[in-house]
Amino acid sequence: MAANRGSETKISTINATKSDQEDAVDIEKAISATGYGTFNVLLLLAALPVAWTGIFDTTTPAFILASAECDLQLTSFRKGVLVAFPFVGMTLTSFVWDHVTPYVGARNLFVLGLLADSVLNVLSSAVDSYHVFLAIKFVNGVFTGGPFSMVIAYLSEFHSAKYKPSFARWAGLAVNAAIIVPAVLGFTILPLPLTIDVFYRRYTSWRIYLLICSIVPVIGLVTASALPQSPRYLVDIGKPEQALKLLARMYAINKRKPVNAFPIKSLAVLQNSQLSRQSVFQRSSEKLRISCYNAKLLFSGPYLRAVSFLNFLQFGSMLGFNTMRLWVPHLFVILNNFDADKWRKDRAPTMRDMLDRRNALPVSQYLDCPNFSNICITWKVIAVIYQNSSIIAVSAVLFSFLASAIANSKFRKKLIMVAAFFLSVISSFGMNWAQHPAYMLTLAAAIIVTTRIAGNIVTAVNVDVIPVPLRPSSVAMLTTVGNVAAIVGNFLFSALLDVECLVAFMGLGCLLLACFCLSFFQPKPVRESTSKALEA
């Protein structure tokens, strides 16, 4: 059953002459008339820093763990909590942004979020307290979670249905490329012995790194301020005249014609659909009710098996991806500090041995200290560690994009998913017993790349399996599950590293093995139930 929109809703037009009323078109047809071209490309470029900010906030903490260990008094568990906390902020407040956006507009949301994020990132580079830094990272997640999740949806409102699939694919590639940049900046800055005094504050390399990374939200703040409100949003808030002017400008830029050549002279709008005529509380309550109803529907009847399948695979793939990509830089800093000259056993050291802090070169003189476990280690950071992280990030972006491009049939999707999980399982179980850091790095990279591919295929299978009315709810659910997986993975992995690191890798391998076995039994497309989804 569809949501009741009122039996007395009427159609009106702007420029209400008789001929205009006869020629009035809906917003979708008006957007189609603008075509696709320079305006859309410039819009994507202006919105990229907005999307990149969310990725930067969840990625940059991973690259400062080694350099900031003594300054922030980091233990293994504290490191895991630190890299997970931006995801906590995103997860706990994602529904808030979803309800607020229709009233403030996506552009205004971008500006608000990036302004707060820019200030917080600058502050984070100056703090000495772990708990203050942790609080800042949480609030970073709160303010960037909304803009990050809504950039693609905002951009899609400037495109007709004809261009949306291809645009979403290429825009997704451009957005995901953001995971490469923090690694490249880390490779360039973090190994340097930098020390700069700023306002009587001593800035070392990791603080300078955070300052430079904070340039991205500042750029995003500037570009977001220049973004227009989407034409659909302008119509919804009762400003069709502005929507028509925007569409005419889009047409002129894309077609390289005068603004007055735009063929659409009037828009058909629903008089009673304007957001300005309804209270925020009523609309939010109704939207929340609809979301709960659709979620309940997804976990009942014919949808339950498919939804459980998709969410379990999403949890496994995103846990593997976000745990390994955020821990690999620091793990290989530790491996690089392994004191091979003092290894006396008659076998090659495993990763478990090399990650033991007692076997690290910087602590060899402190082994007999009674409070050895509380000693912070000044790790030697070399550029090649972050150079390898850059290569892994590039591989994850490119291979996941190519896999999504060729996964255009049910058989190919199943084949790619099964292969991706198989490789991730082998790599997870094999990492500890690889005989050289180069092999360990290759296996770690394989986990990151294959789980990223598997996550993309899960999203593609969701489109095939879940019917259109429930698809937005299922996609939102997959996103939330992915963020929860990142939180759980980093919490558990960091806790197990302190207790028994072998269990951390074996546990990851067992989870991915379960995903591999389950991937053979993909559900069939679910027909719409007799209980229809509600529409917001």
Side-chain angles (χ1 to χ4, degrees):
M1 50 185 172
N4 184 13
R5 298 183 181 272
S7 59
E8 298 181 358
T9 298
K10 297 180 180 179
I11 301 294
S12 67
T13 67
I14 68 170
N15 303 334
T17 65
K18 182 176 180 179
S19 59
D20 284 340
Q21 292 177 5
E22 293 174 352
D23 296 333
V25 300
D26 62 29
I27 185 66
E28 183 62 37
K29 291 182 179 179
I31 292 174
S32 299
T34 64
Y36 183 90
T38 304
F39 179 90
N40 305 91
V41 174
L42 294 176
L43 191 72
L44 172 61
L45 294 176
L48 270 184
V50 180
W52 279 25
T53 296
I55 296 178
F56 266 59
D57 283 343
T58 58
T59 304
T60 52
F63 289 93
I64 67 168
L65 296 179
S67 303
E69 180 162 328
C70 291
D71 291 340
L72 297 178
Q73 300 178 339
L74 299 176
T75 63
S76 292
F77 184 68
R78 280 189 166 194
K79 293 170 186 176
V81 174
L82 181 60
V83 297
F85 245 54
F87 293 100
V88 175
M90 288 182 175
T91 304
L92 293 179
T93 58
S94 59
F95 72 95
V96 175
W97 294 117
D98 188 40
H99 289 283
V100 169
T101 303
Y103 309 102
V104 299
R107 194 274 307 275
N108 296 337
L109 170 63
F110 297 161
V111 173
L112 172 64
L114 293 174
L115 175 61
D117 189 76
S118 300
V119 174
L120 290 168
N121 275 308
V122 173
L123 289 176
S124 70
S125 68
V127 301
D128 294 318
S129 168
Y130 167 76
H131 294 97
V132 173
F133 194 91
L134 198 65
I136 289 175
K137 290 291 104 181
F138 173 81
V139 181
N140 276 141
V142 170
F143 279 103
T144 59
F148 172 69
S149 64
M150 294 172 185
V151 167
I152 298 299
Y154 163 80
L155 293 174
S156 69
E157 294 190 356
F158 291 84
H159 302 84
S160 63
K162 176 182 178 181
Y163 299 104
K164 282 182 181 179
S166 60
F167 175 81
R169 184 164 55 251
W170 288 101
L173 174 64
V175 170
N176 290 329
I179 68 172
I180 301 170
V181 183
V184 173
L185 291 176
F187 159 67
T188 307
I189 300 166
L190 290 173
L192 300 178
L194 299 175
T195 302
I196 300 175
D197 290 331
V198 180
F199 296 112
Y200 306 104
R201 168 69 64 175
R202 183 171 171 266
Y203 275 69
T204 53
S205 58
W206 71 269
R207 297 182 188 274
I208 296 171
Y209 171 76
L210 290 181
L211 271 181
I212 293 176
C213 289
S214 67
I215 294 175
V216 173
V218 173
I219 295 174
L221 176 61
V222 174
T223 58
S225 301
L227 292 173
Q229 297 285 11
S230 78
R232 285 190 177 87
Y233 174 74
L234 291 173
V235 170
D236 284 342
I237 63 174
K239 297 181 179 180
E241 297 89 351
Q242 293 185 22
L244 194 60
K245 290 179 181 178
L246 173 60
L247 293 168
R249 190 165 82 250
M250 292 168 57
Y251 173 85
I253 296 174
N254 286 337
K255 303 290 186 179
R256 292 180 173 83
K257 294 181 179 181
V259 172
N260 56 15
F262 186 50
I264 308 300
K265 303 303 180 183
S266 59
L267 294 175
V269 297
L270 296 174
Q271 285 183 337
N272 292 345
S273 68
Q274 296 176 11
L275 294 177
S276 57
R277 299 187 181 186
Q278 302 185 32
S279 74
V280 173
F281 178 77
Q282 289 176 334
R283 289 280 302 212
S284 297
S285 299
E286 178 65 12
K287 194 169 185 179
L288 180 61
R289 186 184 70 83
I290 292 172
S291 298
C292 293
Y293 175 84
N294 288 345
K296 179 181 178 182
L297 193 61
L298 284 170
F299 281 103
S300 62
Y303 304 103
L304 178 60
R305 179 176 178 270
V307 170
S308 300
F309 169 88
L310 292 169
N311 280 279
F312 184 83
L313 294 187
Q314 177 78 346
F315 182 86
S317 59
M318 288 298 97
L319 186 146
F321 174 69
N322 283 308
T323 301
M324 292 308 299
R325 81 175 179 95
L326 295 175
W327 270 95
V328 157
H330 185 55
L331 290 180
F332 282 88
V333 168
I334 299 176
L335 294 182
N336 185 69
N337 282 264
F338 175 68
D339 192 353
D341 294 335
K342 292 188 177 181
W343 182 255
R344 294 289 182 265
K345 296 184 179 180
D346 57 352
R347 60 174 176 82
T350 64
M351 178 173 277
R352 174 189 179 186
D353 300 317
M354 298 176 75
L355 291 179
D356 187 342
R357 58 191 280 122
R358 291 184 175 275
N359 295 326
L361 185 62
V363 300
S364 57
Q365 57 184 319
Y366 304 110
L367 290 176
D368 296 329
C369 293
N371 59 343
F372 173 77
S373 59
N374 296 326
I375 295 175
C376 76
I377 301 177
T378 303
W379 300 103
K380 179 183 178 182
V381 179
I382 61 174
V384 70
I385 300 296
Y386 300 128
Q387 180 182 358
N388 292 334
S389 297
S390 304
I391 295 172
I392 293 172
V394 171
S395 302
V397 172
L398 291 182
F399 282 109
S400 61
F401 175 77
L402 292 175
S404 298
I406 65 175
N408 51 13
S409 68
K410 182 179 179 180
F411 174 76
R412 288 185 178 182
K413 290 174 185 174
K414 182 175 182 178
L415 180 64
I416 293 173
M417 181 184 292
V418 169
F421 278 124
F422 176 75
L423 291 175
S424 66
V425 170
I426 297 300
S427 301
S428 297
F429 286 133
M431 270 187 69
N432 184 66
W433 290 282
Q435 297 299 307
H436 192 275
Y439 301 143
M440 298 175 185
L441 180 65
T442 301
L443 294 174
I447 296 173
I448 296 171
V449 173
T450 55
T451 51
R452 175 72 271 184
I453 291 173
N456 286 354
I457 300 301
V458 169
T459 304
V461 172
N462 176 76
V463 174
D464 295 337
V465 172
I466 304 299
V468 173
L470 287 169
R471 200 169 293 162
S473 297
S474 63
V475 169
M477 191 179 298
L478 289 177
T479 301
T480 302
V481 168
N483 287 338
V484 171
I487 298 168
V488 173
N490 282 288
F491 275 38
L492 290 179
F493 190 82
S494 60
L496 290 172
L497 280 181
D498 275 337
V499 179
E500 178 53 78
C501 68
L502 179 60
V503 177
F505 293 107
M506 295 300 97
L508 177 61
C510 290
L511 175 62
L512 294 174
L513 177 61
C515 291
F516 167 69
C517 296
L518 187 63
S519 63
F520 283 96
F521 306 100
Q522 294 189 16
K524 297 179 180 179
V526 182
R527 295 181 179 180
E528 292 187 41
S529 172
T530 53
S531 299
K532 300 295 183 181
L534 293 178
E535 297 178 359

